[in-house]
Amino acid sequence: MSTGMFKPVHGAHAVVETVFFFEFSAPILSDQAIEEHLALAYGDALARMDKAGSYEVSFDPATLQSSQREIFTYTFSNGDEMENEAPEWAVRITDGIQVSIHCTAYTRWEAVSKLAFQFLDKLALHAQAALDLKSLGFKVVDQFRYEPSEGSYDLRLLCNSSSSYLCRKNFESGDRWHNNSGWFWLHPNGKQILNHLNVNSSAVSVQHKAPHTYVTIDHVQVLRREEDGDALLCSVDTDQFSRVAHEFFEPLHDQNKLVINALLTEEACRRLSLVIGRTQ
């Protein structure tokens, strides 16, 4: 049986996106801070920076009411203005309350987390209200491309058939299946972290090319406030916020590695150089 049937999308690793997300109890940034101050603060982050504003309108058919959210997005890449290069990073701010930092050019955790929290640090220093968190979390998306030339689809060559995160039916359903699960784990800070895990095999079109079959692992970890006044992090001072947040996210990264390790076969883990207890 071929061990090359499922190829990590980036060769040495399978991560297509990491997202660090935060929701505050009240707006922390004014429009001027978002559009002007952050533009100056982020100006030297990468070679190219673009910014765009938009509105997202939703309609509730039950109440016949509509609502809108204002979204401002900074995108970053290492290409110059003449290159049609996809963004490698994005900072998305919704109504001044929700902030998400996206990386689509993963290399190693140390480098990615360092830049992510540099973005967060500059944003926190421009906050005009208390950094009072309602929720925060971490999302990692991994993808493996199925290569038909390597033989008939056999999920056992990628995923551990005895993994508690999958069911037997997933291994009997050919190349179209999905599995959703959820659970909590105890963070070292004593907080309960909610996990959402969606694993699926489906046809995906990448960069407008013909659809191809990919196995996608979408792992989200979230900490939400359960009671008013409950502090999710030990400090909300603007000059310490990114450092404290970084410390919070380290165990989430470790937990994601444990999940991936339990999902994949030993051979697949070796191809990814996935070693528990080592920074990756």
Side-chain angles (χ1 to χ4, degrees):
M1 294 189 294
S2 171
T3 59
M5 181 174 291
F6 297 94
K7 296 188 182 301
V9 291
H10 294 301
H13 70 82
V15 180
V16 293
E17 184 179 29
T18 55
V19 185
F20 307 76
F21 55 92
F22 309 82
E23 181 181 12
F24 299 89
S25 60
I28 63 167
L29 295 164
S30 66
D31 289 346
Q32 183 180 27
I34 294 172
E35 297 186 36
E36 298 178 15
H37 300 166
L38 285 181
L40 294 173
Y42 288 157
D44 60 353
L46 290 176
R48 178 176 176 180
M49 179 186 76
D50 295 292
K51 59 179 182 176
S54 63
Y55 287 92
E56 182 178 271
V57 179
S58 59
F59 178 75
D60 186 344
T63 62
L64 302 181
Q65 298 293 314
S66 62
S67 61
Q68 71 177 27
R69 304 192 304 167
E70 185 176 10
I71 302 170
F72 204 88
T73 305
Y74 282 93
T75 56
F76 308 86
S77 70
N78 278 308
D80 59 33
E81 294 184 3
M82 300 302 293
E83 297 180 25
N84 186 22
E85 185 175 296
E88 299 170 16
W89 285 86
V91 177
R92 176 181 165 123
I93 304 164
T94 303
D95 288 338
I97 292 179
Q98 296 174 334
V99 175
S100 57
I101 301 170
H102 306 248
C103 174
T104 54
Y106 190 90
T107 51
R108 296 186 66 83
W109 170 250
E110 183 176 339
V112 168
S113 61
K114 179 180 179 180
L115 185 51
F117 290 103
Q118 286 176 357
F119 283 126
L120 182 64
D121 185 52
K122 292 179 179 180
L123 185 147
L125 292 175
H126 286 86
Q128 297 166 309
L131 299 174
D132 185 24
L133 282 165
K134 288 180 64 177
S135 66
L136 73 165
F138 183 49
K139 174 179 178 177
V140 182
V141 181
D142 292 83
Q143 280 189 332
F144 299 83
R145 174 174 166 144
Y146 163 55
E147 299 293 342
S149 62
E150 297 292 327
S152 299
Y153 186 102
D154 187 350
L155 183 61
R156 294 172 301 171
L157 296 179
L158 175 66
C159 293
N160 180 356
S161 59
S162 62
S163 173
S164 62
Y165 297 120
L166 296 172
C167 66
R168 186 176 67 184
K169 194 66 178 176
N170 297 142
F171 294 87
E172 302 172 350
S173 300
D175 63 358
R176 295 293 181 270
W177 54 269
H178 75 270
N179 189 297
N180 294 302
S181 59
W183 69 94
F184 287 87
W185 69 276
L186 187 65
H187 192 280
N189 69 3
K191 303 290 187 181
Q192 290 284 347
I193 308 297
L194 173 62
N195 284 243
H196 298 280
L197 181 65
N198 180 359
V199 189
N200 70 80
S201 180
S202 61
V204 178
S205 178
V206 179
Q207 296 180 345
H208 308 293
K209 296 180 181 179
H212 206 94
T213 297
Y214 289 84
V215 174
T216 302
I217 304 170
D218 188 323
H219 182 208
V220 180
Q221 302 177 72
V222 187
L223 173 61
R224 293 191 177 96
R225 175 184 289 173
E226 297 182 357
E227 299 179 2
D228 289 342
D230 183 19
L232 301 188
L233 297 179
C234 64
S235 173
V236 292
D237 294 338
T238 56
D239 60 342
Q240 296 293 320
F241 184 75
S242 66
R243 178 187 62 78
V244 173
H246 198 166
E247 293 172 355
F248 170 82
F249 277 85
E250 287 289 341
L252 272 62
H253 166 63
D254 292 338
Q255 179 70 8
N256 172 253
K257 287 171 58 180
L258 288 171
V259 169
I260 299 300
N261 186 71
L263 266 172
L264 302 182
T265 65
E266 290 185 8
E267 175 59 30
C269 289
R270 278 196 292 270
R271 292 204 308 271
L272 296 175
S273 300
L274 181 60
V275 179
I276 302 303
R278 189 176 75 189
T279 301
Q280 292 179 283

